Amino acid sequence: MALHMTGLSADDLAEVVDCLLLGAEQTSNAEIAEHRRRIAHGIGDALDALPTADGAQ
């Protein structure tokens, strides 16, 4: 599945990842925590796959 987002920088998305991970730590519901971690890691992996300013990946 692909997602196209406009108006958010890579730094903004990294902040979303941080918030999801923090939210996962703060919930007592293990299922919700795992779901938030899965989303965070999916976004993080996509960010890691983006080319950098110098063209490296």
Side-chain angles (χ1 to χ4, degrees):
M1 176 169 62
L3 173 66
H4 177 80
M5 298 195 67
T6 58
L8 295 175
S9 70
D11 288 339
D12 292 337
L13 292 173
E15 188 166 344
V16 170
V17 169
D18 289 343
C19 290
L20 283 165
L21 292 173
L22 179 62
E25 290 176 14
Q26 298 300 313
T27 186
S28 60
N29 184 311
E31 191 173 314
I32 291 172
E34 181 55 33
H35 182 69
R36 289 175 180 170
R37 284 187 195 95
R38 197 169 38 254
I39 293 168
H41 290 295
I43 295 169
D45 290 347
L47 288 172
D48 290 343
L50 291 175
T52 59
D54 63 6
Q57 282 193 349

Short mmCIF file of all heavy atoms in Angstrom, two decimals:
data_model
loop_
_atom_site.label_atom_id
_atom_site.label_comp_id
_atom_site.label_asym_id
_atom_site.label_seq_id
_atom_site.Cartn_x
_atom_site.Cartn_y
_atom_site.Cartn_z
N MET A 1 0.84 -1.17 0.00
CA MET A 1 0.00 0.00 0.00
C MET A 1 0.89 1.24 0.00
O MET A 1 1.94 1.26 0.62
CB MET A 1 -0.89 -0.01 1.25
CG MET A 1 -1.73 1.24 1.33
SD MET A 1 -3.04 1.25 2.56
CE MET A 1 -2.17 1.09 4.08
N ALA A 2 0.47 2.24 -0.70
CA ALA A 2 1.22 3.49 -0.78
C ALA A 2 0.40 4.61 -0.15
O ALA A 2 -0.82 4.58 -0.15
CB ALA A 2 1.53 3.82 -2.22
N LEU A 3 1.11 5.58 0.36
CA LEU A 3 0.47 6.75 0.94
C LEU A 3 1.18 7.98 0.41
O LEU A 3 2.42 8.04 0.44
CB LEU A 3 0.58 6.71 2.47
CG LEU A 3 0.11 7.94 3.23
CD1 LEU A 3 -1.40 8.11 3.07
CD2 LEU A 3 0.46 7.81 4.70
N HIS A 4 0.42 8.92 -0.09
CA HIS A 4 0.99 10.16 -0.59
C HIS A 4 0.56 11.27 0.35
O HIS A 4 -0.63 11.50 0.55
CB HIS A 4 0.49 10.43 -2.01
CG HIS A 4 0.98 11.73 -2.56
ND1 HIS A 4 2.24 11.87 -3.08
CD2 HIS A 4 0.39 12.94 -2.65
CE1 HIS A 4 2.40 13.12 -3.48
NE2 HIS A 4 1.29 13.79 -3.22
N MET A 5 1.54 11.94 0.95
CA MET A 5 1.23 13.03 1.88
C MET A 5 1.86 14.30 1.37
O MET A 5 3.00 14.31 0.92
CB MET A 5 1.77 12.71 3.27
CG MET A 5 1.13 11.49 3.86
SD MET A 5 1.39 11.33 5.61
CE MET A 5 0.46 12.70 6.24
N THR A 6 1.12 15.38 1.47
CA THR A 6 1.65 16.68 1.09
C THR A 6 1.57 17.61 2.29
O THR A 6 0.74 17.42 3.18
CB THR A 6 0.85 17.29 -0.08
OG1 THR A 6 -0.51 17.41 0.30
CG2 THR A 6 0.96 16.43 -1.33
N GLY A 7 2.47 18.56 2.32
CA GLY A 7 2.44 19.57 3.37
C GLY A 7 3.19 19.21 4.63
O GLY A 7 3.25 20.01 5.56
N LEU A 8 3.74 18.00 4.71
CA LEU A 8 4.51 17.60 5.88
C LEU A 8 5.94 17.29 5.45
O LEU A 8 6.16 16.60 4.46
CB LEU A 8 3.91 16.36 6.54
CG LEU A 8 2.52 16.51 7.16
CD1 LEU A 8 2.02 15.17 7.66
CD2 LEU A 8 2.53 17.52 8.28
N SER A 9 6.87 17.77 6.21
CA SER A 9 8.28 17.49 5.93
C SER A 9 8.67 16.15 6.56
O SER A 9 7.92 15.58 7.37
CB SER A 9 9.16 18.60 6.50
OG SER A 9 9.15 18.54 7.92
N ALA A 10 9.83 15.67 6.20
CA ALA A 10 10.36 14.45 6.82
C ALA A 10 10.50 14.65 8.33
O ALA A 10 10.24 13.72 9.11
CB ALA A 10 11.69 14.06 6.18
N ASP A 11 10.89 15.84 8.75
CA ASP A 11 11.00 16.12 10.18
C ASP A 11 9.63 16.05 10.87
O ASP A 11 9.52 15.57 11.99
CB ASP A 11 11.63 17.49 10.42
CG ASP A 11 13.11 17.53 10.11
OD1 ASP A 11 13.75 16.45 10.09
OD2 ASP A 11 13.63 18.63 9.89
N ASP A 12 8.58 16.54 10.18
CA ASP A 12 7.23 16.46 10.74
C ASP A 12 6.81 15.00 10.91
O ASP A 12 6.25 14.62 11.94
CB ASP A 12 6.21 17.15 9.82
CG ASP A 12 6.39 18.65 9.74
OD1 ASP A 12 6.96 19.25 10.68
OD2 ASP A 12 5.96 19.23 8.72
N LEU A 13 7.11 14.19 9.91
CA LEU A 13 6.74 12.77 9.99
C LEU A 13 7.55 12.06 11.07
O LEU A 13 7.04 11.17 11.75
CB LEU A 13 6.91 12.10 8.64
CG LEU A 13 5.92 12.58 7.58
CD1 LEU A 13 6.28 11.99 6.22
CD2 LEU A 13 4.50 12.24 7.96
N ALA A 14 8.81 12.45 11.24
CA ALA A 14 9.62 11.87 12.31
C ALA A 14 9.02 12.21 13.67
O ALA A 14 9.03 11.38 14.59
CB ALA A 14 11.06 12.37 12.22
N GLU A 15 8.45 13.39 13.80
CA GLU A 15 7.78 13.77 15.05
C GLU A 15 6.53 12.92 15.27
O GLU A 15 6.23 12.52 16.40
CB GLU A 15 7.43 15.26 15.05
CG GLU A 15 6.92 15.72 16.39
CD GLU A 15 6.87 17.22 16.53
OE1 GLU A 15 7.50 17.95 15.74
OE2 GLU A 15 6.18 17.67 17.45
N VAL A 16 5.81 12.63 14.20
CA VAL A 16 4.64 11.75 14.31
C VAL A 16 5.09 10.38 14.81
O VAL A 16 4.44 9.78 15.70
CB VAL A 16 3.92 11.64 12.95
CG1 VAL A 16 2.86 10.53 12.97
CG2 VAL A 16 3.29 12.97 12.57
N VAL A 17 6.19 9.86 14.28
CA VAL A 17 6.73 8.58 14.72
C VAL A 17 7.05 8.63 16.21
O VAL A 17 6.68 7.73 16.98
CB VAL A 17 7.99 8.18 13.91
CG1 VAL A 17 8.70 7.00 14.53
CG2 VAL A 17 7.59 7.88 12.47
N ASP A 18 7.72 9.69 16.65
CA ASP A 18 8.06 9.84 18.06
C ASP A 18 6.80 9.85 18.93
O ASP A 18 6.76 9.24 20.00
CB ASP A 18 8.86 11.12 18.30
CG ASP A 18 10.27 11.05 17.76
OD1 ASP A 18 10.76 9.93 17.47
OD2 ASP A 18 10.89 12.12 17.59
N CYS A 19 5.77 10.55 18.48
CA CYS A 19 4.52 10.63 19.23
C CYS A 19 3.83 9.27 19.31
O CYS A 19 3.28 8.90 20.36
CB CYS A 19 3.58 11.66 18.62
SG CYS A 19 4.14 13.36 18.85
N LEU A 20 3.85 8.51 18.22
CA LEU A 20 3.27 7.18 18.24
C LEU A 20 4.00 6.26 19.22
O LEU A 20 3.38 5.50 19.97
CB LEU A 20 3.29 6.56 16.84
CG LEU A 20 2.22 7.06 15.88
CD1 LEU A 20 2.57 6.67 14.46
CD2 LEU A 20 0.86 6.52 16.26
N LEU A 21 5.32 6.35 19.22
CA LEU A 21 6.10 5.53 20.14
C LEU A 21 5.86 5.94 21.59
O LEU A 21 5.73 5.08 22.48
CB LEU A 21 7.59 5.60 19.79
CG LEU A 21 7.95 4.94 18.45
CD1 LEU A 21 9.41 5.21 18.11
CD2 LEU A 21 7.67 3.45 18.48
N LEU A 22 5.76 7.22 21.84
CA LEU A 22 5.45 7.70 23.19
C LEU A 22 4.06 7.24 23.61
O LEU A 22 3.86 6.77 24.73
CB LEU A 22 5.55 9.23 23.24
CG LEU A 22 5.23 9.87 24.59
CD1 LEU A 22 6.20 9.40 25.66
CD2 LEU A 22 5.25 11.38 24.47
N GLY A 23 3.11 7.34 22.69
CA GLY A 23 1.76 6.87 22.98
C GLY A 23 1.72 5.38 23.27
O GLY A 23 0.95 4.92 24.12
N ALA A 24 2.54 4.62 22.57
CA ALA A 24 2.62 3.17 22.82
C ALA A 24 3.13 2.90 24.22
O ALA A 24 2.65 1.99 24.90
CB ALA A 24 3.52 2.51 21.77
N GLU A 25 4.10 3.68 24.66
CA GLU A 25 4.66 3.51 26.01
C GLU A 25 3.65 3.87 27.09
O GLU A 25 3.70 3.30 28.19
CB GLU A 25 5.90 4.38 26.19
CG GLU A 25 7.10 3.96 25.39
CD GLU A 25 8.26 4.93 25.55
OE1 GLU A 25 8.22 5.78 26.46
OE2 GLU A 25 9.19 4.84 24.73
N GLN A 26 2.76 4.80 26.80
CA GLN A 26 1.86 5.33 27.81
C GLN A 26 0.56 4.54 27.98
O GLN A 26 -0.14 4.73 28.96
CB GLN A 26 1.52 6.80 27.49
CG GLN A 26 2.71 7.73 27.50
CD GLN A 26 3.41 7.75 28.86
OE1 GLN A 26 2.76 7.88 29.88
NE2 GLN A 26 4.72 7.62 28.85
N THR A 27 0.24 3.67 27.02
CA THR A 27 -1.01 2.92 27.14
C THR A 27 -0.79 1.62 27.90
O THR A 27 0.28 1.01 27.82
CB THR A 27 -1.64 2.64 25.76
OG1 THR A 27 -2.91 2.04 25.96
CG2 THR A 27 -0.77 1.74 24.91
N SER A 28 -1.80 1.22 28.63
CA SER A 28 -1.73 -0.06 29.34
C SER A 28 -2.31 -1.19 28.49
O SER A 28 -2.24 -2.35 28.87
CB SER A 28 -2.48 0.03 30.67
OG SER A 28 -3.83 0.36 30.44
N ASN A 29 -2.87 -0.85 27.32
CA ASN A 29 -3.44 -1.84 26.44
C ASN A 29 -2.36 -2.33 25.48
O ASN A 29 -1.92 -1.60 24.58
CB ASN A 29 -4.61 -1.20 25.66
CG ASN A 29 -5.34 -2.19 24.79
OD1 ASN A 29 -4.73 -2.94 24.03
ND2 ASN A 29 -6.66 -2.17 24.88
N ALA A 30 -1.96 -3.58 25.64
CA ALA A 30 -0.86 -4.13 24.85
C ALA A 30 -1.18 -4.17 23.35
O ALA A 30 -0.28 -3.96 22.52
CB ALA A 30 -0.52 -5.54 25.34
N GLU A 31 -2.42 -4.42 23.01
CA GLU A 31 -2.80 -4.49 21.60
C GLU A 31 -2.68 -3.11 20.93
O GLU A 31 -2.16 -2.99 19.82
CB GLU A 31 -4.24 -5.00 21.47
CG GLU A 31 -4.64 -5.35 20.07
CD GLU A 31 -6.02 -6.01 20.05
OE1 GLU A 31 -6.26 -6.91 20.87
OE2 GLU A 31 -6.82 -5.62 19.20
N ILE A 32 -3.14 -2.08 21.61
CA ILE A 32 -3.02 -0.72 21.09
C ILE A 32 -1.56 -0.31 21.00
O ILE A 32 -1.13 0.29 20.02
CB ILE A 32 -3.83 0.27 21.95
CG1 ILE A 32 -5.33 0.01 21.79
CG2 ILE A 32 -3.49 1.72 21.60
CD1 ILE A 32 -6.20 0.80 22.73
N ALA A 33 -0.78 -0.65 22.02
CA ALA A 33 0.64 -0.31 22.02
C ALA A 33 1.35 -0.94 20.83
O ALA A 33 2.12 -0.27 20.13
CB ALA A 33 1.29 -0.77 23.33
N GLU A 34 1.07 -2.21 20.57
CA GLU A 34 1.71 -2.89 19.43
C GLU A 34 1.27 -2.28 18.11
O GLU A 34 2.08 -2.12 17.20
CB GLU A 34 1.40 -4.40 19.46
CG GLU A 34 2.05 -5.16 18.34
CD GLU A 34 3.56 -4.96 18.26
OE1 GLU A 34 4.21 -4.79 19.31
OE2 GLU A 34 4.10 -4.95 17.13
N HIS A 35 0.01 -1.92 18.00
CA HIS A 35 -0.50 -1.29 16.78
C HIS A 35 0.22 0.04 16.54
O HIS A 35 0.65 0.33 15.42
CB HIS A 35 -2.01 -1.08 16.89
CG HIS A 35 -2.63 -0.49 15.68
ND1 HIS A 35 -2.74 -1.17 14.48
CD2 HIS A 35 -3.17 0.73 15.47
CE1 HIS A 35 -3.31 -0.39 13.60
NE2 HIS A 35 -3.59 0.77 14.16
N ARG A 36 0.37 0.85 17.58
CA ARG A 36 1.07 2.13 17.44
C ARG A 36 2.53 1.93 17.06
O ARG A 36 3.07 2.66 16.24
CB ARG A 36 0.97 2.92 18.75
CG ARG A 36 -0.42 3.45 19.00
CD ARG A 36 -0.53 4.14 20.34
NE ARG A 36 -1.88 4.64 20.55
CZ ARG A 36 -2.31 5.11 21.70
NH1 ARG A 36 -1.52 5.16 22.75
NH2 ARG A 36 -3.56 5.54 21.81
N ARG A 37 3.17 0.93 17.66
CA ARG A 37 4.57 0.65 17.30
C ARG A 37 4.70 0.21 15.85
O ARG A 37 5.63 0.62 15.15
CB ARG A 37 5.15 -0.42 18.23
CG ARG A 37 5.49 0.08 19.60
CD ARG A 37 6.21 -1.00 20.41
NE ARG A 37 6.20 -0.64 21.81
CZ ARG A 37 5.31 -1.07 22.70
NH1 ARG A 37 4.38 -1.94 22.36
NH2 ARG A 37 5.37 -0.67 23.95
N ARG A 38 3.75 -0.62 15.40
CA ARG A 38 3.79 -1.10 14.02
C ARG A 38 3.64 0.07 13.04
O ARG A 38 4.36 0.15 12.04
CB ARG A 38 2.68 -2.14 13.82
CG ARG A 38 2.82 -3.00 12.62
CD ARG A 38 1.87 -4.20 12.58
NE ARG A 38 0.52 -3.97 13.08
CZ ARG A 38 0.06 -4.44 14.25
NH1 ARG A 38 0.83 -5.16 15.04
NH2 ARG A 38 -1.18 -4.20 14.63
N ILE A 39 2.73 0.98 13.33
CA ILE A 39 2.55 2.16 12.48
C ILE A 39 3.83 3.01 12.49
O ILE A 39 4.32 3.43 11.44
CB ILE A 39 1.35 3.02 12.95
CG1 ILE A 39 0.05 2.26 12.74
CG2 ILE A 39 1.31 4.35 12.20
CD1 ILE A 39 -1.15 2.92 13.43
N ALA A 40 4.36 3.26 13.69
CA ALA A 40 5.57 4.08 13.83
C ALA A 40 6.74 3.49 13.05
O ALA A 40 7.45 4.20 12.34
CB ALA A 40 5.94 4.24 15.31
N HIS A 41 6.92 2.18 13.17
CA HIS A 41 8.05 1.55 12.48
C HIS A 41 7.83 1.54 10.97
O HIS A 41 8.79 1.69 10.21
CB HIS A 41 8.30 0.14 13.02
CG HIS A 41 8.84 0.15 14.41
ND1 HIS A 41 10.08 0.67 14.73
CD2 HIS A 41 8.29 -0.24 15.58
CE1 HIS A 41 10.28 0.56 16.04
NE2 HIS A 41 9.21 0.02 16.57
N GLY A 42 6.59 1.41 10.52
CA GLY A 42 6.31 1.47 9.09
C GLY A 42 6.64 2.84 8.52
O GLY A 42 7.26 2.95 7.45
N ILE A 43 6.24 3.89 9.23
CA ILE A 43 6.56 5.25 8.78
C ILE A 43 8.07 5.47 8.83
O ILE A 43 8.67 6.02 7.91
CB ILE A 43 5.83 6.31 9.63
CG1 ILE A 43 4.32 6.21 9.44
CG2 ILE A 43 6.32 7.72 9.27
CD1 ILE A 43 3.51 7.04 10.43
N GLY A 44 8.70 5.04 9.92
CA GLY A 44 10.15 5.19 10.06
C GLY A 44 10.92 4.48 8.96
O GLY A 44 11.87 5.03 8.40
N ASP A 45 10.49 3.27 8.62
CA ASP A 45 11.15 2.53 7.54
C ASP A 45 11.00 3.27 6.21
O ASP A 45 11.95 3.32 5.41
CB ASP A 45 10.57 1.12 7.41
CG ASP A 45 10.94 0.22 8.57
OD1 ASP A 45 11.85 0.59 9.36
OD2 ASP A 45 10.31 -0.84 8.71
N ALA A 46 9.81 3.84 5.97
CA ALA A 46 9.59 4.59 4.73
C ALA A 46 10.48 5.84 4.70
O ALA A 46 11.05 6.17 3.65
CB ALA A 46 8.12 4.97 4.59
N LEU A 47 10.61 6.51 5.83
CA LEU A 47 11.48 7.69 5.89
C LEU A 47 12.93 7.30 5.64
O LEU A 47 13.66 8.00 4.94
CB LEU A 47 11.35 8.39 7.25
CG LEU A 47 10.06 9.14 7.49
CD1 LEU A 47 9.99 9.62 8.94
CD2 LEU A 47 9.91 10.31 6.54
N ASP A 48 13.34 6.17 6.21
CA ASP A 48 14.73 5.70 6.01
C ASP A 48 15.00 5.37 4.55
O ASP A 48 16.15 5.46 4.10
CB ASP A 48 15.00 4.47 6.87
CG ASP A 48 15.07 4.79 8.35
OD1 ASP A 48 15.23 5.98 8.71
OD2 ASP A 48 14.95 3.85 9.16
N ALA A 49 13.98 4.99 3.81
CA ALA A 49 14.16 4.61 2.41
C ALA A 49 14.22 5.82 1.47
O ALA A 49 14.58 5.66 0.31
CB ALA A 49 13.03 3.69 1.97
N LEU A 50 13.85 6.99 1.97
CA LEU A 50 13.89 8.20 1.13
C LEU A 50 15.33 8.57 0.80
O LEU A 50 16.22 8.42 1.65
CB LEU A 50 13.23 9.38 1.84
CG LEU A 50 11.73 9.31 2.05
CD1 LEU A 50 11.27 10.50 2.89
CD2 LEU A 50 11.01 9.32 0.70
N PRO A 51 15.58 9.07 -0.40
CA PRO A 51 16.93 9.52 -0.72
C PRO A 51 17.29 10.75 0.14
O PRO A 51 16.42 11.55 0.48
CB PRO A 51 16.86 9.90 -2.20
CG PRO A 51 15.45 9.80 -2.60
CD PRO A 51 14.65 9.20 -1.49
N THR A 52 18.54 10.85 0.47
CA THR A 52 19.00 12.00 1.25
C THR A 52 19.39 13.13 0.30
O THR A 52 19.41 12.96 -0.92
CB THR A 52 20.22 11.62 2.11
OG1 THR A 52 21.26 11.17 1.25
CG2 THR A 52 19.88 10.52 3.10
N ALA A 53 19.72 14.27 0.85
CA ALA A 53 20.07 15.44 0.04
C ALA A 53 21.28 15.17 -0.85
O ALA A 53 21.39 15.71 -1.96
CB ALA A 53 20.33 16.64 0.96
N ASP A 54 22.18 14.30 -0.40
CA ASP A 54 23.37 14.01 -1.20
C ASP A 54 23.17 12.83 -2.15
O ASP A 54 24.09 12.39 -2.82
CB ASP A 54 24.59 13.77 -0.30
CG ASP A 54 24.45 12.57 0.61
OD1 ASP A 54 23.46 11.83 0.48
OD2 ASP A 54 25.34 12.35 1.44
N GLY A 55 21.92 12.32 -2.20
CA GLY A 55 21.60 11.25 -3.13
C GLY A 55 21.79 9.86 -2.58
O GLY A 55 21.43 8.89 -3.22
N ALA A 56 22.33 9.73 -1.37
CA ALA A 56 22.54 8.41 -0.76
C ALA A 56 21.23 7.93 -0.15
O ALA A 56 20.36 8.72 0.18
CB ALA A 56 23.62 8.48 0.30
N GLN A 57 21.10 6.61 0.00
CA GLN A 57 19.91 6.05 0.65
C GLN A 57 20.30 5.32 1.89
O GLN A 57 21.28 4.80 2.09
CB GLN A 57 19.15 5.12 -0.27
CG GLN A 57 18.33 5.87 -1.25
CD GLN A 57 17.33 4.92 -1.96
OE1 GLN A 57 17.41 3.71 -1.85
NE2 GLN A 57 16.42 5.50 -2.69
#
